[in-house]
Structure formats: C-alpha cells, structure tokens
Amino acid sequence: MSDIVISLVVSPIIQEALSKAVSFARTHIRISADLKRQMGELEYSLNMMQDLLKVAEDREKRHDAVRKWLQRVEDEAHNLVDLLDKYSYAVHQQNVGTKGQIKNQVHAFSSLFISMPCQIRRIKGSLDNIRRDASIIKLLHNDATVSQDHIETTPYSSDNSEVLGRNDDVSKVVRLLSDLSRQNPLSGLSMVGMPGIGKTTLARSICNRAEEENLYDLVAWVCLSKNFDVKMILKAMLEYLDSNGGSMVNTGAILKRLKSKLEDKRFLLVLDDVWNEDPRSWKTLFSYLLNISTPTGNSIVVTTSRKQVVASTSVMDEVPMHKYELQKLSAEECRLIMGEKILRSSRITTIPMDLLNIAEQCGGLPLVAAVIGEALSHHTDADEWLAIKNNTAWDSPHRMEIVSKLKKSFDHLPSPLKKCFSYCSIFPKGFEIRRDDLVQLWLAGGLLHQSDDSKSEKEEVGDKYLNDLVSSYLFQDVMDECGNIKFCKMHDEVHNLALFISKYETCIWSDSCPIEEGSSFRHMRVIFDDDRQAIPSGVADRLRSLFLEVDVFRTRALPLRSLQSLKLAAVDRKKLQEYLGKLKYHMKYLDISESDIKGLPESVTKLYNLQTLRFMGCRSLMDLPSDIGNLVSLRHIHVNDESHMPRGVGKLTSLQTLPLFVVGTKKGQRIEELKDLSQLRGKLKICNLEQVRESEATEAKLEAKVKLFKLQFVWSRNRAISNNNDEVVLDRLQPHSNLKSLTIENYKGVNFPSWMVKDVSSSASSFRLNSIVKLKLIDCDECGDILCLGLLPKLKVLNIRAMSKVKRIGSTFYYNRSNIASSSQGVGRSITPFPALRKLILSNMTKLEEWTAEDTDVFPSLDELHIKDCPEFKTWWIDGSASPMLSILSIHSCPNLQAIPRRLLNLISLDINDSCNLMGYAKEYTKWCTICHIHSIRINGLVVRYV
C-alpha cells in the first residue's frame, strides 16, 4: 500500500490568487500602464498554470519531483496573495486613518504602490520558470496523466465475515424489492452510507439470497467505480445471457438482443460503487431498461457513498427508487467480525485478550473490523495485539489498507472540496466544530471560490461545500430544529484519512512528534505541555494557520509573516499586542475564545483585513478596544457575554454574523447600530430592549434582514413594568417572514404584536410567521391569553414558560376567531391546527387550570409533551386521539391533575414527578387501561415499569 497517492491540492490556492489579481486589476483603475500590463501577463500565467495543475494533481505523489514542483507553485501563489493583501491593507489604512496619521500612511502606500510592478514581475517570472520546468518532469506530455487504480468488485466473495450483523438488512432489502416489484415493471433502491460501512457486502448477500430463492431469472452485477456508461451497463447485462454479447457496439442492437433474451424473464441489476449524479444519464438508462422489461418484477440495486446519487436516481415516476441508508454496526457486531477473522488462522486457538475494547475503536465500520481482525490473526502474543490496537503509524499495513479504501470518496471530490477536507486534519480526533466556525476558517484560508457569474457570498459557497462533504459521508452532521447544520464532525477513520492526505501540509506538534527546521507545513496545532519550546523559524515563516493550546510566544519572537488564522487558548496580553502588530497584513481570523486574557489589545483595531473575530467564554475579559469600527473587512463577530459587547458595530457594513447585540444608552450602543447591517445572517439576540425608545425601534430594520433565521427579543428581568413601551417596541421590531426561530423573553406587554396575531381568515399562507419552526415565549407574564398558534404550518417546537396570568388554553389557541365564526355558520374548519408540531413544553404556568381540545385532530404530529410546575392545573383534553403520535409524556409538579388522556396508543415513555393525584394510578399500571401498554414508566425518578 506504500504507493497510495498523497494529494497536495494546489489549484484552489491558484484560484484564490487569480481571483485577487483580477479583482485588483478591475477595482483599481488608476494603476500605472506598466502595472496594468504586468497584471495582465500575470493573469495569463495563472490561467496557464491552472491547466497544468489538473494534470499534476492527478499524479502528484507518484513522483517526488511532482510534489516538489507543486509546492513551488503553491509558494508563488501564496506570495502573490500576500502581496495583494498588503495592498488591500494599505488601502483600508488610508480610508480609516486620522488626520495626524494620513501623511505617514500616504508615504507607506506610495512606497508599496511603486514597488508593486517589480514584485509582480518577479512572481510572474517565477511562475513562468516553474511552468517551463513542467516539461522536465513530463507534465506537458500526453502520457502524463496517471489513472488511479480501481479494483473491480464482483458479486462473489470468499470472505463472509463482513456479512455478520447485516442479516436483518438483507431480509429488509429483499422484502422491499419484492413488494416494489409486484407493483412496477422496474423499481429498486439506492443503498447509501459512508465508505467502509458494507454496502458492497450487503449487495452481494442480496444477490446470493436472490439466487438461492430463485427470485429472479437473471442477476447481473456491474461495477461502476471508474465511470457511468449506459452502453457498458447494457453490454454487461447481455454478457450474463450471451457470452458473445460483449463484442456488440451498437446500442440499438444490444437492446434488441437483450429484449429477446429477457423475454418473460425477471432481472435484478446491481450497480455497485456509483458516483454518477447526472439525472439525464439515469433517465436514459431507465428508459432503455423499461423498454426491455417484462410487465412486472424487475429490480435495480444501486450502492453509493454520495447522497446526491440517491437524488439523481429519482428521475422517473415510472421507476420508483427508494433510499436505504446503512447504519453503523454495534461494537459487539464488530467484535464478531474480528473474531471470525482471527479464528480462521491456524496459528490461533484462543483469543489472548478481550476484543470488545478494540472493536469499539472500529466506529461501527465492518471494513475496519475486518482489516484489524486480519492483522490480529497473524499474531499470537497479547503484547503484539496491544501494539496493533494502539498503532496509528501510517506505514502500518492495516492502517494503509483502511486509508486506501476510504480514499476513494476523497478522490471523487472536486479540488476545492479536497482542500477544505484536508484542512480539517488540524482538528483533534473526535472533534465537533460549529458549522459557521469551520466555514469561516475556510474563508480565511482562501478556500472558498465563487463562480464568475455567481451572486452568492463566499460563506454560502462554504455552506454548499459543507453540505457536499456531508453528502459524501466524509462529514457527519448534527442538525438543529430548523433543519440547519449546527455542528459537524468526522468518523475517526475518516479523520485518519485527512491526516494522511495532509501529512506534508499540516503538523500536529506534540511531545511525541517533533518537527524539523525546513519542514513545509502550512497549518499547525500545538498541543505539548511545555510552553518553553518555540516553533522553528523556518517553519513559522510558512504557516498560514496556527492553533495554540500553550503560549509559544513566551519564549522568543516568531517570524509569523504570513499567518492568516490564529486560535489562542493561552496568551499574554502584551505579547498578543506585539504580535498582532506584526501579523496585521494577512490576519483574517482571530479566536481567543475560552482564554484567560483580561483585555483585547488596541492593535486588534489595526487588523484591517480581519474577517472573523471570536471571543466567546472569555471570563476574565474586561477591556475592549474603542475603535472596533475600524475593522472594515470584518464579516463575523462571535461574542456571547453581554458585558463584552463592543461599541460602534454599525460601521461594520460587511458584517454577517452578530449573535448578540446589547442595547445601551451611549453612542454606539443604540439599536440604530443595526440599521445598515443588511447582510446579517444566522441568529441574533437583542438584549436590554427596555432601553429602546418607541421612535428608535424601526431603525433596526429587521424586516429587511432576509438572511436572519433566528431572533431572540429579550428585556431585562428585574425592571419596573409601569409605563413600559414593550408592545410598541416589539410591534416595530417586525422580522422578515423567512424567520425560522423566535424567542420572546421577559416581555411585559398585555398583547402580542399584530405581526404575530395577524388575521388569517382567508388563508394560513398570509401569516407573518409562516416559516417559523421553533417558538419560545418565556416570562411573558402580563399576557392573559396565549395567542393563536395552531395555524403556523411549519411549527415543530413550542415552548411556553411562566405566562402566569393564563388560566385557560382553549379554542383560540388552535384557531383564530374568524375560523371559529366560520365553523359556527356551517362553513367548517379546513385547516388542521398544529400540523407539524413535534414537541410542546408548558412550564411554570402558575395560574393555568384548564386545557381543552374540542377536536380530535389538533396535534396530529405531536411526539413529545412536557408539562412542569403548573400547580393549579386540573383539567385537560380527555381523548388521546387528539395527539395520536404522542410517544413521550412527562408531567412534573402538577399536584391537582387527575388523569392523563385516554387512547394514547403510541405512548412508550411516561414520567411523573411530584404529581400526587397521578402517582397512584401509574403504580397500578396493570389495572389502568390508559397506560398499561407503556414500555417505560417512571415515578419520582424510579422506574416502576420497563419492557
């Protein structure tokens, strides 16, 4: 396995350099004729270099000379980016400078501008020399491209160990295929899952079951690792029926022969390892297969590691294709696979140590279990087994075999995604990173590129890249209630792949992994315990990203001339002040979150190219710089402490991320600061709304901020409520209808604003909160009624807490008055209330006595219901058919509640705590027909029934 290609992907860096060069030439129209000519020639050189890179990256590590050639290209691309960053910095510096600074700034700017033609000429000359050197390593010849090796899969295997744990899957798939084939001439399913999860093995088992039970007259297997060729698929099918069929070249003749051979025969076609996402080719294939199919009973099984392939197969209504996603195996199932492999060895009669601990490291992948089991089978000593278990060296045979098989998914990625994927090797194994943090790191590294005609922001390109990596199962995602990716992470073996791919670019510097002077790393994470060590200067000079868990600045000055991203867990304020002054030209991303720093140095405000500033969880932070508005390139501020809110953010008109805004009384703290921040996206929490004057509220212009999907309106808890203006302010803070999540907290108005209770007698689609998915009403204790929420078509999560004046929840909770009036006149209610609600929480409703549901279908999708701290609550809806899908019910501190609704047939978990009238019934679960079917019943924390 030593010849596995290690990819050094350079084309995204060239693309970044090219886009910056083109932008420079177009934006700065007053540049000299000489500089304009030099930029034109440089653009030509960069375009020529891109064509070469397509060849070079394919064959990069086959020859060491190619890798070194690519590193030279990358060096010059970075030099160009750095030069243009310096120019951009000088322009920004001129724009924000004070009168006393302008003279010095003009002089510095003029010196840089005068020297630019010479520097551009030097970079272009270097690129031309590098391009000429390509002929020496034969990149310009037609035979330069080295095709990657692909092992063609077959429906047969001598190893059945990996089938362990998949018997249920085999039965489910065969049953599903059988059900579909009875109704359609052609149907099937796409089996999808991450690399190594056993898709091919499962497909083989399905073929074996089909042949054993004579379910089909023809079982054909086609491996499509290289390309998707419809004619090749048809020829492969024909070869199963006619040994001479492979010589035919005419598609029409092949189809005619197939149709005659398949007359009155049913077939199963397995397409293994598919990467094709083009719906047109799928439509062509399905059309041909329908033409040669019998009336019913033919099936297709597709295996793929890309979710987009699944979507592209659903192109014809006549060919229903179902998705079947394989899940990871349990540790016990992985142990069985390993044990099967080990006991096949004639050298081993007993297993020398517990396999379960090793199996847990397989992460549920049968591929990993089989490979490690095979490695263990060649050793008999427990110490040797322990060494294999702990071995993560890349030259170990079993690790290389796993990497080589997982790398196929990486190889099919476009170059920009390859670079983004390999960047993630800088994170620790088992990491979980917020989506926005990862995208902003990619942004700082110049890895996000818009197409020439794209109007999307680079962050939106990053979101697409992330979705593509999730769809390729190289990332695992954690979604929020609104359907957005909140966190992402990697399987341990996929992280090993990232480390392997980026071994020349990324260094994880620890006590056990020293680095040498002259190493060519671009990214580094420092995790050793000794802060007296310093990064070698030759290495520091090339770094673009540096993540520090210790303060390496303490020992000596470091020449971090090109650093773009810096994460600090520990740093001295004076040292940071000194270093930020040296990093000012290129710094795009600064994160001091969770550090013990007591103040942000003033030098932060001189980082005119800074795009992202993060200072979350800085408990010791007391001082913030006053001129935060000078950061004219800033797009993302991350702060979560109300006492750390910077002033003057209204000047940052490129700002997209501002999770917190605290209204104050001084200049730079008023809500009008939000007025010109039209690019805000994601979430925004606005605190201290009692400080907003009625005339100011509309200045926030929230209705124009169409990319905000989550809003929190928060008033201070301990304040005088007499003569408050909460109703007017909230009414004038009307958000855009795209909003998906809304929280209103400590609101002291008697009524909610008109945009929340708009009359919807005509249709639900006119509702202002039509897109809302999650709604929280917290401590709105002056409101006597809960507004009509039942008509929100997409609402999934509803949390109502501490509305202490509400005594009854009735029909107006589900329908507005116009609907009720129409119903009383015989018109009827055409809308089912709460059609999408999955989770409902009622808590601290101290005056609530009654909750009624007049209809039997008011909560058709409700899965979880939690009621807590409602001491006066006595009566609620009796018929459980109002929420037929309810599976989890918890009732805490409701001492007057007498019973739970009848006919909650899907209820599987009941939790009752400190609710005395319910406890006796729950303990007699065999006598109470309402709950005797429930699997789990807990009373005051004790499990009284578990099935």
Side-chain angles (χ1 to χ4, degrees):
M1 298 291 177
S2 60
D3 62 343
I4 297 176
V5 179
I6 302 174
S7 296
L8 180 63
V9 183
V10 177
S11 51
I13 307 302
I14 285 289
Q15 180 62 41
E16 172 74 359
L18 179 60
S19 63
K20 279 183 174 286
V22 171
S23 175
F24 174 86
R26 291 176 180 173
T27 305
H28 303 286
I29 57 177
R30 296 182 181 179
I31 60 177
S32 66
D34 181 36
L35 181 54
K36 191 170 186 177
R37 178 175 55 80
Q38 294 292 337
M39 293 301 296
E41 292 177 357
L42 177 64
E43 185 178 340
Y44 174 79
S45 293
L46 289 170
N47 278 314
M48 293 291 291
M49 190 63 71
Q50 279 192 311
D51 294 335
L52 269 179
L53 288 175
K54 293 176 183 178
V55 176
E57 289 176 349
D58 281 342
R59 58 172 296 166
E60 177 250 318
K61 194 57 179 84
R62 302 276 178 172
H63 303 288
D64 192 56
V66 180
R67 181 176 62 83
K68 291 180 179 178
W69 182 88
L70 283 169
Q71 285 183 334
R72 290 172 61 199
V73 176
E74 186 178 47
D75 287 344
E76 289 306 325
H78 281 308
N79 288 339
L80 176 58
V81 169
D82 288 350
L83 175 62
L84 296 176
D85 277 346
K86 284 185 178 180
Y87 182 84
S88 174
Y89 182 89
V91 172
H92 292 321
Q93 187 179 38
Q94 269 198 321
N95 292 337
V96 302
T98 61
K99 292 182 180 180
Q101 298 171 324
I102 288 179
K103 184 176 180 180
N104 292 334
Q105 290 171 357
V106 169
H107 175 73
F109 178 79
S110 300
S111 300
L112 176 63
F113 195 76
I114 291 170
S115 67
M116 276 196 76
C118 179
Q119 296 183 66
I120 293 292
R121 193 179 300 115
R122 186 200 65 76
I123 293 173
K124 178 188 172 297
S126 295
L127 288 172
D128 290 343
N129 289 335
I130 293 170
R131 188 155 53 89
R132 283 190 290 270
D133 289 346
S135 61
I136 300 174
I137 53 177
K138 300 181 180 179
L139 285 177
L140 298 178
H141 295 285
N142 291 331
D143 62 347
T145 302
V146 178
S147 61
Q148 296 181 12
D149 296 328
H150 293 273
I151 300 175
E152 185 172 343
T153 62
T154 71
Y156 308 107
S157 174
S158 58
D159 182 10
N160 295 318
S161 63
E162 292 174 55
V163 183
L164 293 169
R166 293 294 185 200
N167 289 332
D168 287 345
D169 289 298
V170 174
S171 298
K172 287 179 184 177
V173 170
V174 170
R175 186 165 55 250
L176 179 58
L177 290 174
S178 178
D179 292 342
L180 288 169
S181 66
R182 281 195 291 267
Q183 305 168 32
N184 304 280
L186 182 64
S187 59
L189 55 85
S190 299
M191 293 196 306
V192 63
M194 70 176 295
I197 205 164
K199 300 179 293 294
T200 298
T201 301
L202 179 57
R204 286 177 179 142
S205 299
I206 292 165
C207 289
N208 293 338
R209 178 78 64 87
E211 291 179 339
E212 289 170 2
E213 300 181 6
N214 294 318
L215 301 177
Y216 300 91
D217 300 296
L218 168 66
V219 177
W221 180 287
V222 185
C223 178
L224 296 170
S225 297
K226 293 184 180 180
N227 52 57
F228 191 91
D229 187 325
V230 172
K231 183 188 289 187
M232 185 267 288
I233 294 171
L234 297 173
K235 287 175 68 174
M237 288 183 68
L238 185 55
E239 286 184 46
Y240 277 93
L241 298 165
D242 183 346
S243 58
N244 297 319
S247 60
M248 301 181 70
V249 294
N250 183 273
T251 302
I254 295 170
L255 287 169
K256 186 175 180 180
R257 180 76 63 85
L258 267 174
K259 189 165 186 175
S260 66
K261 292 286 185 181
L262 285 172
E263 188 175 2
D264 298 326
K265 291 183 172 68
R266 300 167 65 237
F267 66 79
L268 168 63
L269 174 61
V270 177
L271 303 179
D272 186 45
D273 200 17
V274 178
W275 299 90
N276 175 60
E277 300 173 12
D278 181 10
R280 294 170 298 179
S281 56
W282 283 106
K283 192 169 185 177
T284 300
L285 175 63
F286 289 162
S287 297
Y288 287 157
L289 293 177
L290 281 171
N291 186 50
I292 64 174
S293 298
T294 53
T296 58
N298 303 289
S299 301
I300 301 175
V301 171
V302 175
T303 73
T304 181
S305 294
R306 290 185 65 80
K307 293 179 182 178
Q308 292 97 325
V309 172
V310 179
S312 64
T313 60
S314 302
V315 292
M316 294 181 70
D317 293 336
E318 302 94 321
V319 185
M321 293 291 292
H322 287 242
K323 174 184 174 182
Y324 191 88
E325 187 165 7
L326 266 68
Q327 303 302 315
K328 296 174 187 176
L329 298 181
S330 66
E332 174 60 22
E333 288 166 332
C334 288
R335 185 189 69 82
L336 292 174
I337 293 174
M338 294 170 64
E340 179 79 12
K341 284 277 190 182
I342 293 164
L343 293 176
R344 287 180 187 177
S345 172
S346 58
R347 302 173 57 196
I348 298 179
T349 56
T350 59
I351 296 177
M353 65 181 294
D354 182 14
L355 280 179
L356 194 57
N357 288 335
I358 303 178
E360 287 172 349
Q361 297 183 358
C362 297
L365 295 187
L367 164 68
V368 179
V371 170
I372 296 180
E374 182 68 27
L376 294 173
S377 71
H378 298 293
H379 302 275
T380 59
D381 186 74
D383 290 337
E384 293 175 324
W385 278 37
L386 191 61
I388 291 174
K389 171 189 172 184
N390 297 328
N391 185 16
T392 56
W394 299 121
D395 56 354
S396 61
H398 66 281
R399 286 291 176 193
M400 295 298 287
E401 184 175 352
I402 295 169
V403 166
S404 68
K405 293 185 177 181
L406 296 180
K407 191 173 179 291
K408 191 185 296 182
S409 289
F410 173 83
D411 292 336
H412 281 86
L413 295 175
S415 290
L417 266 69
K418 287 181 177 179
K419 200 71 175 177
C420 290
F421 172 79
S422 62
Y423 184 92
C424 297
S425 62
I426 197 171
F427 305 120
K429 186 174 290 190
F431 76 91
E432 188 175 80
I433 186 171
R434 296 191 70 92
R435 173 197 56 80
D436 52 2
D437 194 6
L438 180 57
V439 169
Q440 288 155 26
L441 282 166
W442 288 342
L443 175 70
L447 305 182
L448 306 178
H449 306 293
Q450 304 146 298
S451 58
D452 293 337
D453 58 347
S454 174
K455 296 181 180 180
S456 300
E457 295 285 348
K458 286 189 175 182
E459 287 81 357
E460 293 171 321
V461 174
D463 289 340
K464 182 183 182 303
Y465 285 2
L466 184 54
N467 289 334
D468 288 346
L469 289 169
V470 169
S471 295
S472 299
Y473 289 91
L474 293 171
F475 277 2
Q476 300 167 11
D477 60 325
V478 177
M479 309 290 285
D480 62 17
E481 296 95 339
C482 300
N484 300 305
I485 295 178
K486 189 176 182 180
F487 295 98
C488 54
K489 54 187 177 181
M490 280 182 175
H491 188 282
D492 284 354
E493 293 300 336
V494 176
H495 187 264
N496 288 338
L497 170 65
L499 285 169
F500 177 75
I501 286 167
S502 62
K503 63 186 296 184
Y504 292 110
E505 288 194 300
T506 302
C507 173
I508 310 302
W509 188 18
S510 64
D511 293 326
S512 59
C513 183
I515 56 176
E516 298 178 358
E517 187 78 38
S519 298
S520 57
F521 300 121
R522 297 288 182 186
H523 314 290
M524 178 181 288
R525 179 164 56 91
V526 182
I527 57 175
F528 54 71
D529 296 328
D530 187 358
D531 61 3
R532 293 171 297 178
Q533 298 190 55
I535 303 170
S537 58
V539 176
D541 191 41
R542 296 171 58 88
L543 289 178
R544 317 293 285 190
S545 304
L546 180 59
F547 295 3
L548 297 173
E549 297 180 18
V550 294
D551 187 1
V552 298
F553 295 137
R554 183 180 300 180
T555 308
R556 58 172 177 166
L558 298 176
L560 298 167
R561 297 184 183 92
S562 301
L563 201 64
Q564 295 173 321
S565 300
L566 179 62
K567 274 180 175 273
L568 298 165
V571 66
D572 177 80
R573 181 178 181 176
K574 290 183 180 179
K575 286 287 185 183
L576 183 61
Q577 168 84 10
E578 175 186 342
Y579 267 94
L580 290 181
K582 297 176 181 178
L583 303 174
K584 60 185 180 181
Y585 294 119
H586 313 299
M587 182 63 64
K588 310 284 180 63
Y589 177 103
L590 177 62
D591 185 359
I592 59 168
S593 297
E594 308 298 332
S595 70
D596 57 359
I597 193 168
K598 291 186 171 123
L600 272 176
E602 287 294 329
S603 55
V604 166
T605 63
K606 303 296 191 295
L607 301 176
Y608 302 130
N609 283 330
L610 191 69
Q611 297 168 339
T612 301
L613 176 62
R614 304 179 70 97
F615 48 104
M616 309 273 282
C618 297
R619 296 179 180 85
S620 302
L621 186 63
M622 293 182 290
D623 299 327
L624 290 173
S626 56
D627 296 327
I628 200 79
N630 288 348
L631 299 178
V632 290
S633 300
L634 200 62
R635 299 160 77 95
H636 308 284
I637 295 178
H638 293 270
V639 54
N640 60 353
D641 190 318
E642 294 181 24
S643 64
H644 297 162
M645 183 67 213
R647 295 186 193 177
V649 295
K651 297 179 183 178
L652 306 175
T653 55
S654 296
L655 205 62
Q656 295 185 23
T657 302
L658 182 67
L660 176 66
F661 182 81
V662 182
V663 182
T665 57
K666 298 179 181 178
K667 184 179 180 180
Q669 296 178 327
R670 306 302 301 172
I671 201 165
E672 64 186 16
E673 294 292 309
L674 299 174
K675 178 180 180 179
D676 295 324
L677 305 185
S678 59
Q679 299 302 313
L680 283 182
R681 66 200 300 257
K683 60 184 181 180
L684 171 62
K685 178 181 179 180
I686 307 177
C687 297
N688 289 0
L689 281 170
E690 69 277 3
Q691 300 288 351
V692 178
R693 294 187 285 265
E694 294 179 6
S695 59
E696 294 177 321
T698 54
E699 292 297 309
K701 294 190 178 299
L702 294 183
E703 193 172 10
K705 296 173 176 41
V706 299
K707 296 181 181 179
L708 281 175
F709 72 84
K710 181 177 182 179
L711 268 175
Q712 293 177 264
F713 295 130
V714 183
W715 286 258
S716 296
R717 177 182 291 273
N718 299 316
R719 62 187 174 103
I721 62 172
S722 58
N723 300 319
N724 72 74
N725 62 355
D726 293 15
E727 287 190 20
V728 176
V729 168
L730 185 58
D731 188 55
R732 294 179 180 180
L733 290 175
Q734 178 175 327
H736 193 272
S737 58
N738 289 344
L739 197 68
K740 291 186 176 181
S741 177
L742 174 64
T743 297
I744 300 175
E745 188 169 347
N746 300 327
Y747 173 70
K748 303 305 178 186
V750 176
N751 299 298
F752 286 103
S754 58
W755 52 264
M756 291 184 70
V757 294
K758 188 175 180 180
D759 180 41
V760 292
S761 57
S762 57
S763 71
S765 62
S766 63
F767 207 98
R768 168 55 57 179
L769 299 180
N770 202 43
S771 299
I772 208 77
V773 174
K774 183 176 183 179
L775 178 62
K776 297 174 72 174
L777 304 175
I778 309 298
D779 287 303
C780 302
D781 49 18
E782 294 299 309
C783 297
D785 291 305
I786 301 176
L787 70 165
C788 170
L789 300 174
L791 299 178
L792 295 174
K794 298 181 181 179
L795 184 65
K796 291 183 179 180
V797 180
L798 176 59
N799 188 342
I800 301 175
R801 188 178 77 203
M803 293 185 67
S804 58
K805 289 193 175 182
V806 174
K807 295 183 177 181
R808 184 179 185 274
I809 300 174
S811 57
T812 54
F813 179 51
Y814 310 103
Y815 309 100
N816 69 334
R817 291 181 176 83
S818 298
N819 289 112
I820 297 171
S822 298
S823 178
S824 65
Q825 296 167 13
V827 177
R829 299 180 182 126
S830 60
I831 301 171
T832 300
F834 296 107
L837 192 66
R838 301 287 190 274
K839 185 175 183 178
L840 173 57
I841 303 170
L842 292 175
S843 60
N844 294 89
M845 307 287 284
T846 55
K847 299 291 178 62
L848 180 65
E849 298 177 3
E850 182 183 15
W851 180 11
T852 61
E854 298 174 8
D855 288 354
T856 58
D857 56 352
V858 290
F859 297 113
S861 303
L862 190 64
D863 180 59
E864 292 185 45
L865 175 59
H866 304 271
I867 305 173
K868 182 179 180 181
D869 295 322
C870 300
E872 303 299 322
F873 188 31
K874 301 174 184 177
T875 309
W876 61 334
W877 30 284
I878 299 173
D879 192 347
S881 59
S883 53
M885 305 305 295
L886 189 67
S887 64
I888 299 173
L889 174 61
S890 70
I891 302 171
H892 289 204
S893 301
C894 299
N896 287 306
L897 192 61
Q898 301 293 323
I900 67 172
R902 298 190 299 268
R903 293 192 292 182
L904 293 174
L905 302 181
N906 282 309
L907 198 63
I908 60 174
S909 175
L910 175 63
D911 185 4
I912 298 174
N913 200 308
D914 195 21
S915 302
C916 53
N917 284 333
L918 292 177
M919 291 180 189
Y921 289 108
K923 289 178 181 178
E924 297 293 328
Y925 60 85
T926 58
K927 298 179 181 178
W928 194 19
C929 63
T930 307
I931 62 172
C932 63
H933 63 284
I934 301 175
H935 294 182
S936 173
I937 300 177
R938 296 170 63 93
I939 306 294
N940 283 348
L942 299 176
V943 177
V944 299
R945 175 180 171 85
Y946 185 79
V947 179

